[in-house]
Each structure stands twice: as C-alpha cells, then as structure tokens.
Amino acid sequence: MYMACKFIKILNIVSVCLVMILTGCGKIENEVSPESSEESDMDKIIFYATILHNYQEEKYTDSDVMYYFVVLRDGTIWTMENNFRTDNYEFARKFNSRDSSAWELAEHLENIGSLSTEDTQKLSEYISGIDLNSEDYDSLRDDGSNPDVIDSFYYTYKCPVSDVEKWFTIIDAGSDSGAFYKTYDENALSAVKLIENNQFFIEWKEKIN
C-alpha cells in the first residue's frame, strides 16, 4: 500500500507538469545548443522557483497553473504564470529548453522588484560555486521514506550551471512529504536560503498559497 501511494503521488506530479522529472545524479536537464552568441532573456536567468498546487486539495481551483518566481543576474525579479490547460504545455516546453519566446507566452508577467546589490552578488557567487559532483538525495533511487500524505503543493528550485544551457535542480519537493530530490551542495542550498529569506519571495509565496 505504501509503495502504491508513493507511485501515485509521483505519477501525479509527472502527469501534471513536465518540468518535474525525478531522474538520477545531478538533476541537470534540457541541454540545447544556443543558436547565436547573443545573450537571450533566458540566458539572464540565474535562479527560479516554481509552485504547483495539488489537484487533490479541494481548497485549490488552480491546479492547472504553474507559478514562476524568476531572478535575473542583475537581481531583477519577475513573476509569471503558465496555465497548462490554455497553452497545452507550450510555455513549459519552451521555458525548459531555454527558448526566449517563452516570455511571450507567459501569463501575468510582472516585474515585482529586485534583490539588493549584496544579495545579487552573493547569489551569483553561490550559483557559480555549485559542484555538479556533489552528493544528492533521490527518493526513487535511494528508496526514501516520504510519508503517505497529500501535499498541498509541489515546488522546485532550479538554476543554470557553468556556461552550458542546462537547468540544475536544487530541490524538487512536496509541501508536506518533503524532498523527492535534493542536492547536498552547500552553495546551491545557500542560494535557496537566500531566496527563501527574501521578502519578495515570501510575499509571492503567501499570495499564491
């Protein structure tokens, strides 16, 4: 019964959102070849977080909507939404492949402020210092003991790494069951802590949930 519940929980995540893929070590996704040397809007992203409400929670009526909190290298913060029902995952596919035209498909795109100069510098240092060979936890690979609970929402924290067009997953988790995947890299976790303590992020999360 435990394994069946766990499988259903993970299946729900994968079926609702293509971005949450629980694979092995490093959690690096979506390598593409840049079409030109000119920097695109996607290249300016240094960190982003997502929140997706669980359709099993009756209090939520927006389980088709993925919420994005995006930080650019200059510290500028953007929030946006993606409704899977209305765009048939097109935004998610473009965002995951780092296609700048994804910005044109984003709903409720809004610049809500900026990190301080100090925090922008720290975040950049943390991200650039990530070791891709750091140890990590993967609930499928490591047979984790996530409790059989209904998560209110699912969330991820991701960033680009090195000079390659890839996303690196720092944390992929459920609000109540905990991490499905988590890197133990100290720089990556420091980046998450910096964002989670930021007032813009706190207010964004409270507004959504």
Side-chain angles (χ1 to χ4, degrees):
M1 181 66 180
Y2 164 75
M3 292 303 296
C5 292
K6 183 176 179 181
F7 176 76
I8 292 172
K9 179 196 304 180
I10 296 174
L11 182 60
N12 285 338
I13 305 171
V14 175
S15 64
V16 176
C17 178
L18 299 178
V19 262
M20 297 182 180
I21 305 171
L22 302 179
T23 53
C25 178
K27 292 292 289 182
I28 303 174
E29 304 166 359
N30 305 314
E31 180 174 11
V32 298
S33 299
E35 295 181 359
S36 70
S37 59
E38 184 177 351
E39 185 177 62
S40 69
D41 289 336
M42 299 300 287
D43 294 326
K44 298 175 184 177
I45 296 175
I46 192 173
F47 184 99
Y48 79 92
T50 66
I51 289 180
L52 176 70
H53 292 144
N54 190 341
Y55 72 91
Q56 293 176 295
E57 276 282 0
E58 295 182 358
K59 65 180 180 178
Y60 294 128
T61 58
D62 57 350
S63 58
D64 292 321
V65 178
M66 176 76 81
Y67 297 93
Y68 287 75
F69 182 94
V70 179
V71 183
L72 305 187
R73 281 206 306 268
D74 63 359
T76 305
I77 301 170
W78 290 84
T79 59
M80 60 191 77
E81 300 173 14
N82 170 221
N83 190 313
F84 300 129
R85 182 175 297 178
T86 58
D87 85 341
N88 196 28
Y89 295 92
E90 185 66 15
F91 173 86
R93 284 192 291 267
K94 288 180 177 292
F95 194 95
N96 291 346
S97 63
R98 301 181 63 76
D99 183 338
S100 288
S101 64
W103 293 89
E104 300 172 8
L105 300 174
E107 299 180 37
H108 305 292
L109 183 65
E110 182 181 2
N111 174 208
I112 63 170
S114 298
L115 298 180
S116 67
T117 301
E118 181 181 0
D119 281 351
T120 300
Q121 182 177 348
K122 284 183 179 179
L123 183 61
S124 179
E125 292 174 354
Y126 291 146
I127 299 302
S128 63
I130 291 176
D131 179 2
L132 301 185
N133 296 315
S134 295
E135 294 183 359
D136 57 20
Y137 166 78
D138 188 311
S139 62
L140 290 182
R141 183 194 64 208
D142 302 332
D143 191 26
S145 56
N146 290 329
D148 295 325
V149 298
I150 297 178
D151 290 301
S152 296
F153 60 90
Y154 305 104
Y155 63 95
T156 64
Y157 296 120
K158 299 188 181 186
C159 65
V161 288
S162 303
D163 296 321
V164 210
E165 298 299 313
K166 297 180 179 181
W167 293 123
F168 177 80
T169 299
I170 302 174
I171 297 176
D172 187 353
S175 58
D176 302 294
S177 59
F180 306 122
Y181 174 86
K182 178 179 181 179
T183 179
Y184 291 132
D185 182 87
E186 292 185 3
N187 280 305
L189 296 179
S190 293
V192 166
K193 185 176 181 180
L194 185 152
I195 295 298
E196 287 185 329
N197 289 333
N198 179 268
Q199 190 61 34
F200 288 115
F201 180 83
I202 293 171
E203 292 175 0
W204 170 76
K205 188 174 179 180
E206 289 178 347
K207 179 181 178 181
I208 293 172
N209 291 327

PDB file of all heavy atoms in Angstrom, residues 3 11 13 16 18 24 29 52 57 63 83-84 109 120 128 136 140 143 147 150 155 162 166 171 181 194:
ATOM      1  N   MET A   3       3.975   1.610  -1.187  1.00  0.00           N
ATOM      2  CA  MET A   3       4.606   1.807  -2.473  1.00  0.00           C
ATOM      3  C   MET A   3       3.599   2.267  -3.511  1.00  0.00           C
ATOM      4  O   MET A   3       3.912   3.079  -4.373  1.00  0.00           O
ATOM      5  CB  MET A   3       5.290   0.507  -2.920  1.00  0.00           C
ATOM      6  CG  MET A   3       6.496   0.127  -2.070  1.00  0.00           C
ATOM      7  SD  MET A   3       7.747   1.446  -2.034  1.00  0.00           S
ATOM      8  CE  MET A   3       8.222   1.473  -3.763  1.00  0.00           C
ATOM      9  N   LEU A  11       3.460   9.892  -9.899  1.00  0.00           N
ATOM     10  CA  LEU A  11       2.818   9.895 -11.202  1.00  0.00           C
ATOM     11  C   LEU A  11       2.000  11.157 -11.412  1.00  0.00           C
ATOM     12  O   LEU A  11       1.968  11.730 -12.497  1.00  0.00           O
ATOM     13  CB  LEU A  11       1.910   8.663 -11.342  1.00  0.00           C
ATOM     14  CG  LEU A  11       1.205   8.494 -12.689  1.00  0.00           C
ATOM     15  CD1 LEU A  11       2.227   8.366 -13.808  1.00  0.00           C
ATOM     16  CD2 LEU A  11       0.302   7.276 -12.647  1.00  0.00           C
ATOM     17  N   ILE A  13       2.589  14.116 -10.192  1.00  0.00           N
ATOM     18  CA  ILE A  13       3.488  15.230 -10.464  1.00  0.00           C
ATOM     19  C   ILE A  13       3.931  15.214 -11.918  1.00  0.00           C
ATOM     20  O   ILE A  13       3.896  16.219 -12.612  1.00  0.00           O
ATOM     21  CB  ILE A  13       4.740  15.161  -9.554  1.00  0.00           C
ATOM     22  CG1 ILE A  13       4.336  15.100  -8.084  1.00  0.00           C
ATOM     23  CG2 ILE A  13       5.650  16.344  -9.800  1.00  0.00           C
ATOM     24  CD1 ILE A  13       5.464  14.822  -7.159  1.00  0.00           C
ATOM     25  N   VAL A  16       1.117  16.086 -14.444  1.00  0.00           N
ATOM     26  CA  VAL A  16       0.635  17.465 -14.442  1.00  0.00           C
ATOM     27  C   VAL A  16       1.684  18.419 -14.972  1.00  0.00           C
ATOM     28  O   VAL A  16       1.374  19.382 -15.637  1.00  0.00           O
ATOM     29  CB  VAL A  16       0.211  17.890 -13.020  1.00  0.00           C
ATOM     30  CG1 VAL A  16      -0.200  19.346 -13.006  1.00  0.00           C
ATOM     31  CG2 VAL A  16      -0.956  17.017 -12.559  1.00  0.00           C
ATOM     32  N   LEU A  18       5.601  18.724 -16.849  1.00  0.00           N
ATOM     33  CA  LEU A  18       6.734  18.058 -17.481  1.00  0.00           C
ATOM     34  C   LEU A  18       8.063  18.466 -16.878  1.00  0.00           C
ATOM     35  O   LEU A  18       9.064  17.808 -17.079  1.00  0.00           O
ATOM     36  CB  LEU A  18       6.736  18.399 -18.982  1.00  0.00           C
ATOM     37  CG  LEU A  18       5.486  17.932 -19.735  1.00  0.00           C
ATOM     38  CD1 LEU A  18       5.575  18.369 -21.185  1.00  0.00           C
ATOM     39  CD2 LEU A  18       5.346  16.436 -19.643  1.00  0.00           C
ATOM     40  N   GLY A  24      18.291  10.669 -12.088  1.00  0.00           N
ATOM     41  CA  GLY A  24      19.416  10.376 -11.216  1.00  0.00           C
ATOM     42  C   GLY A  24      20.272  11.551 -10.828  1.00  0.00           C
ATOM     43  O   GLY A  24      19.834  12.688 -10.764  1.00  0.00           O
ATOM     44  N   GLU A  29      19.092  19.183 -16.638  1.00  0.00           N
ATOM     45  CA  GLU A  29      18.094  18.908 -17.650  1.00  0.00           C
ATOM     46  C   GLU A  29      18.227  19.828 -18.838  1.00  0.00           C
ATOM     47  O   GLU A  29      18.747  20.933 -18.752  1.00  0.00           O
ATOM     48  CB  GLU A  29      16.681  19.076 -17.059  1.00  0.00           C
ATOM     49  CG  GLU A  29      16.454  18.220 -15.835  1.00  0.00           C
ATOM     50  CD  GLU A  29      15.217  18.640 -15.081  1.00  0.00           C
ATOM     51  OE1 GLU A  29      14.560  19.602 -15.506  1.00  0.00           O
ATOM     52  OE2 GLU A  29      14.931  17.994 -14.069  1.00  0.00           O
ATOM     53  N   LEU A  52       3.274  24.558  -7.771  1.00  0.00           N
ATOM     54  CA  LEU A  52       2.131  23.948  -8.445  1.00  0.00           C
ATOM     55  C   LEU A  52       1.210  23.354  -7.394  1.00  0.00           C
ATOM     56  O   LEU A  52       1.625  22.514  -6.600  1.00  0.00           O
ATOM     57  CB  LEU A  52       2.608  22.846  -9.391  1.00  0.00           C
ATOM     58  CG  LEU A  52       1.524  22.045 -10.117  1.00  0.00           C
ATOM     59  CD1 LEU A  52       0.828  22.932 -11.152  1.00  0.00           C
ATOM     60  CD2 LEU A  52       2.124  20.817 -10.778  1.00  0.00           C
ATOM     61  N   GLU A  57      -6.260  18.723  -3.528  1.00  0.00           N
ATOM     62  CA  GLU A  57      -6.632  19.642  -2.458  1.00  0.00           C
ATOM     63  C   GLU A  57      -7.853  20.450  -2.892  1.00  0.00           C
ATOM     64  O   GLU A  57      -7.780  21.257  -3.826  1.00  0.00           O
ATOM     65  CB  GLU A  57      -5.469  20.578  -2.140  1.00  0.00           C
ATOM     66  CG  GLU A  57      -4.440  19.995  -1.184  1.00  0.00           C
ATOM     67  CD  GLU A  57      -4.916  20.034   0.257  1.00  0.00           C
ATOM     68  OE1 GLU A  57      -6.036  20.506   0.519  1.00  0.00           O
ATOM     69  OE2 GLU A  57      -4.146  19.595   1.130  1.00  0.00           O
ATOM     70  N   SER A  63      -5.096  24.158 -10.099  1.00  0.00           N
ATOM     71  CA  SER A  63      -4.069  23.118 -10.194  1.00  0.00           C
ATOM     72  C   SER A  63      -3.501  22.984 -11.605  1.00  0.00           C
ATOM     73  O   SER A  63      -2.556  22.226 -11.817  1.00  0.00           O
ATOM     74  CB  SER A  63      -4.635  21.765  -9.733  1.00  0.00           C
ATOM     75  OG  SER A  63      -5.763  21.406 -10.513  1.00  0.00           O
ATOM     76  N   ASN A  83      -0.602  28.485 -17.595  1.00  0.00           N
ATOM     77  CA  ASN A  83      -1.804  27.662 -17.490  1.00  0.00           C
ATOM     78  C   ASN A  83      -1.707  26.535 -18.502  1.00  0.00           C
ATOM     79  O   ASN A  83      -1.779  26.747 -19.705  1.00  0.00           O
ATOM     80  CB  ASN A  83      -3.043  28.513 -17.761  1.00  0.00           C
ATOM     81  CG  ASN A  83      -4.320  27.767 -17.418  1.00  0.00           C
ATOM     82  OD1 ASN A  83      -4.508  26.616 -17.792  1.00  0.00           O
ATOM     83  ND2 ASN A  83      -5.217  28.439 -16.707  1.00  0.00           N
ATOM     84  N   PHE A  84      -1.525  25.311 -18.010  1.00  0.00           N
ATOM     85  CA  PHE A  84      -1.346  24.165 -18.902  1.00  0.00           C
ATOM     86  C   PHE A  84      -2.569  23.925 -19.784  1.00  0.00           C
ATOM     87  O   PHE A  84      -2.457  23.464 -20.912  1.00  0.00           O
ATOM     88  CB  PHE A  84      -1.068  22.901 -18.085  1.00  0.00           C
ATOM     89  CG  PHE A  84       0.155  22.994 -17.230  1.00  0.00           C
ATOM     90  CD1 PHE A  84       0.108  22.681 -15.888  1.00  0.00           C
ATOM     91  CD2 PHE A  84       1.357  23.406 -17.771  1.00  0.00           C
ATOM     92  CE1 PHE A  84       1.239  22.768 -15.094  1.00  0.00           C
ATOM     93  CE2 PHE A  84       2.501  23.502 -16.994  1.00  0.00           C
ATOM     94  CZ  PHE A  84       2.438  23.173 -15.649  1.00  0.00           C
ATOM     95  N   LEU A 109       2.847  38.299 -16.522  1.00  0.00           N
ATOM     96  CA  LEU A 109       4.264  38.618 -16.378  1.00  0.00           C
ATOM     97  C   LEU A 109       4.404  39.949 -15.650  1.00  0.00           C
ATOM     98  O   LEU A 109       3.839  40.952 -16.053  1.00  0.00           O
ATOM     99  CB  LEU A 109       4.908  38.692 -17.758  1.00  0.00           C
ATOM    100  CG  LEU A 109       6.412  38.954 -17.823  1.00  0.00           C
ATOM    101  CD1 LEU A 109       7.184  37.799 -17.208  1.00  0.00           C
ATOM    102  CD2 LEU A 109       6.829  39.174 -19.273  1.00  0.00           C
ATOM    103  N   THR A 120      22.385  40.060  -4.644  1.00  0.00           N
ATOM    104  CA  THR A 120      22.600  39.691  -6.046  1.00  0.00           C
ATOM    105  C   THR A 120      23.995  39.126  -6.228  1.00  0.00           C
ATOM    106  O   THR A 120      24.188  38.105  -6.905  1.00  0.00           O
ATOM    107  CB  THR A 120      22.409  40.914  -6.970  1.00  0.00           C
ATOM    108  OG1 THR A 120      21.078  41.416  -6.827  1.00  0.00           O
ATOM    109  CG2 THR A 120      22.651  40.531  -8.416  1.00  0.00           C
ATOM    110  N   SER A 128      27.619  30.102  -9.132  1.00  0.00           N
ATOM    111  CA  SER A 128      28.855  29.796  -9.857  1.00  0.00           C
ATOM    112  C   SER A 128      29.723  28.794  -9.096  1.00  0.00           C
ATOM    113  O   SER A 128      30.587  28.145  -9.690  1.00  0.00           O
ATOM    114  CB  SER A 128      29.649  31.081 -10.122  1.00  0.00           C
ATOM    115  OG  SER A 128      30.046  31.689  -8.903  1.00  0.00           O
ATOM    116  N   ASP A 136      23.794  13.820  -3.512  1.00  0.00           N
ATOM    117  CA  ASP A 136      22.403  14.239  -3.548  1.00  0.00           C
ATOM    118  C   ASP A 136      21.494  13.132  -3.022  1.00  0.00           C
ATOM    119  O   ASP A 136      21.939  12.026  -2.725  1.00  0.00           O
ATOM    120  CB  ASP A 136      21.982  14.642  -4.969  1.00  0.00           C
ATOM    121  CG  ASP A 136      22.210  13.516  -5.970  1.00  0.00           C
ATOM    122  OD1 ASP A 136      22.319  12.337  -5.566  1.00  0.00           O
ATOM    123  OD2 ASP A 136      22.278  13.808  -7.177  1.00  0.00           O
ATOM    124  N   LEU A 140      13.490   8.032  -5.406  1.00  0.00           N
ATOM    125  CA  LEU A 140      13.326   6.808  -6.183  1.00  0.00           C
ATOM    126  C   LEU A 140      14.584   5.945  -6.109  1.00  0.00           C
ATOM    127  O   LEU A 140      14.522   4.750  -5.857  1.00  0.00           O
ATOM    128  CB  LEU A 140      13.019   7.155  -7.640  1.00  0.00           C
ATOM    129  CG  LEU A 140      11.649   7.756  -7.937  1.00  0.00           C
ATOM    130  CD1 LEU A 140      11.495   8.005  -9.431  1.00  0.00           C
ATOM    131  CD2 LEU A 140      10.537   6.840  -7.440  1.00  0.00           C
ATOM    132  N   ASP A 143      15.263   5.007  -2.264  1.00  0.00           N
ATOM    133  CA  ASP A 143      14.146   4.403  -1.520  1.00  0.00           C
ATOM    134  C   ASP A 143      13.843   5.217  -0.270  1.00  0.00           C
ATOM    135  O   ASP A 143      13.826   4.712   0.854  1.00  0.00           O
ATOM    136  CB  ASP A 143      14.468   2.954  -1.138  1.00  0.00           C
ATOM    137  CG  ASP A 143      13.242   2.214  -0.614  1.00  0.00           C
ATOM    138  OD1 ASP A 143      12.113   2.595  -0.987  1.00  0.00           O
ATOM    139  OD2 ASP A 143      13.416   1.272   0.178  1.00  0.00           O
ATOM    140  N   PRO A 147       6.401  10.298   3.820  1.00  0.00           N
ATOM    141  CA  PRO A 147       5.136   9.845   4.409  1.00  0.00           C
ATOM    142  C   PRO A 147       4.010   9.850   3.380  1.00  0.00           C
ATOM    143  O   PRO A 147       4.055  10.591   2.403  1.00  0.00           O
ATOM    144  CB  PRO A 147       4.868  10.878   5.510  1.00  0.00           C
ATOM    145  CG  PRO A 147       5.603  12.095   5.058  1.00  0.00           C
ATOM    146  CD  PRO A 147       6.836  11.594   4.356  1.00  0.00           C
ATOM    147  N   ILE A 150      -1.077  13.852   1.519  1.00  0.00           N
ATOM    148  CA  ILE A 150      -1.447  14.612   0.338  1.00  0.00           C
ATOM    149  C   ILE A 150      -0.789  15.972   0.418  1.00  0.00           C
ATOM    150  O   ILE A 150      -1.077  16.769   1.314  1.00  0.00           O
ATOM    151  CB  ILE A 150      -2.981  14.776   0.241  1.00  0.00           C
ATOM    152  CG1 ILE A 150      -3.650  13.410   0.082  1.00  0.00           C
ATOM    153  CG2 ILE A 150      -3.342  15.681  -0.936  1.00  0.00           C
ATOM    154  CD1 ILE A 150      -5.164  13.481   0.022  1.00  0.00           C
ATOM    155  N   TYR A 155       6.898  22.074  -5.255  1.00  0.00           N
ATOM    156  CA  TYR A 155       7.743  23.214  -5.583  1.00  0.00           C
ATOM    157  C   TYR A 155       9.126  22.752  -6.030  1.00  0.00           C
ATOM    158  O   TYR A 155       9.569  21.644  -5.693  1.00  0.00           O
ATOM    159  CB  TYR A 155       7.865  24.170  -4.398  1.00  0.00           C
ATOM    160  CG  TYR A 155       8.528  23.593  -3.160  1.00  0.00           C
ATOM    161  CD1 TYR A 155       9.891  23.773  -2.924  1.00  0.00           C
ATOM    162  CD2 TYR A 155       7.792  22.887  -2.214  1.00  0.00           C
ATOM    163  CE1 TYR A 155      10.496  23.266  -1.786  1.00  0.00           C
ATOM    164  CE2 TYR A 155       8.387  22.370  -1.077  1.00  0.00           C
ATOM    165  CZ  TYR A 155       9.738  22.556  -0.859  1.00  0.00           C
ATOM    166  OH  TYR A 155      10.331  22.039   0.274  1.00  0.00           O
ATOM    167  N   SER A 162      27.394  26.499 -14.895  1.00  0.00           N
ATOM    168  CA  SER A 162      28.533  26.753 -15.781  1.00  0.00           C
ATOM    169  C   SER A 162      28.102  27.609 -16.957  1.00  0.00           C
ATOM    170  O   SER A 162      27.292  28.509 -16.824  1.00  0.00           O
ATOM    171  CB  SER A 162      29.138  25.426 -16.241  1.00  0.00           C
ATOM    172  OG  SER A 162      29.507  24.656 -15.115  1.00  0.00           O
ATOM    173  N   LYS A 166      21.794  24.376 -19.498  1.00  0.00           N
ATOM    174  CA  LYS A 166      21.107  23.343 -18.737  1.00  0.00           C
ATOM    175  C   LYS A 166      20.494  23.953 -17.489  1.00  0.00           C
ATOM    176  O   LYS A 166      20.964  24.965 -16.984  1.00  0.00           O
ATOM    177  CB  LYS A 166      22.076  22.236 -18.307  1.00  0.00           C
ATOM    178  CG  LYS A 166      22.712  21.458 -19.448  1.00  0.00           C
ATOM    179  CD  LYS A 166      23.646  20.389 -18.886  1.00  0.00           C
ATOM    180  CE  LYS A 166      24.286  19.584 -19.998  1.00  0.00           C
ATOM    181  NZ  LYS A 166      25.181  18.527 -19.469  1.00  0.00           N
ATOM    182  N   ILE A 171      16.269  21.564  -5.550  1.00  0.00           N
ATOM    183  CA  ILE A 171      15.274  20.857  -4.744  1.00  0.00           C
ATOM    184  C   ILE A 171      14.016  20.648  -5.579  1.00  0.00           C
ATOM    185  O   ILE A 171      13.572  21.541  -6.301  1.00  0.00           O
ATOM    186  CB  ILE A 171      14.906  21.639  -3.465  1.00  0.00           C
ATOM    187  CG1 ILE A 171      16.118  21.787  -2.540  1.00  0.00           C
ATOM    188  CG2 ILE A 171      13.768  20.941  -2.708  1.00  0.00           C
ATOM    189  CD1 ILE A 171      15.857  22.642  -1.305  1.00  0.00           C
ATOM    190  N   TYR A 181      13.757  15.073  -4.549  1.00  0.00           N
ATOM    191  CA  TYR A 181      15.152  15.193  -4.950  1.00  0.00           C
ATOM    192  C   TYR A 181      15.755  16.408  -4.256  1.00  0.00           C
ATOM    193  O   TYR A 181      15.090  17.440  -4.094  1.00  0.00           O
ATOM    194  CB  TYR A 181      15.320  15.362  -6.465  1.00  0.00           C
ATOM    195  CG  TYR A 181      16.757  15.636  -6.828  1.00  0.00           C
ATOM    196  CD1 TYR A 181      17.654  14.589  -7.029  1.00  0.00           C
ATOM    197  CD2 TYR A 181      17.244  16.940  -6.893  1.00  0.00           C
ATOM    198  CE1 TYR A 181      18.991  14.836  -7.291  1.00  0.00           C
ATOM    199  CE2 TYR A 181      18.578  17.202  -7.154  1.00  0.00           C
ATOM    200  CZ  TYR A 181      19.441  16.133  -7.350  1.00  0.00           C
ATOM    201  OH  TYR A 181      20.780  16.388  -7.581  1.00  0.00           O
ATOM    202  N   LEU A 194      18.956  32.029   0.635  1.00  0.00           N
ATOM    203  CA  LEU A 194      18.947  33.459   0.361  1.00  0.00           C
ATOM    204  C   LEU A 194      17.613  33.880  -0.256  1.00  0.00           C
ATOM    205  O   LEU A 194      17.024  34.890   0.136  1.00  0.00           O
ATOM    206  CB  LEU A 194      20.103  33.808  -0.584  1.00  0.00           C
ATOM    207  CG  LEU A 194      20.338  35.283  -0.912  1.00  0.00           C
ATOM    208  CD1 LEU A 194      21.813  35.520  -1.235  1.00  0.00           C
ATOM    209  CD2 LEU A 194      19.485  35.757  -2.088  1.00  0.00           C
TER     210      LEU A 194
END
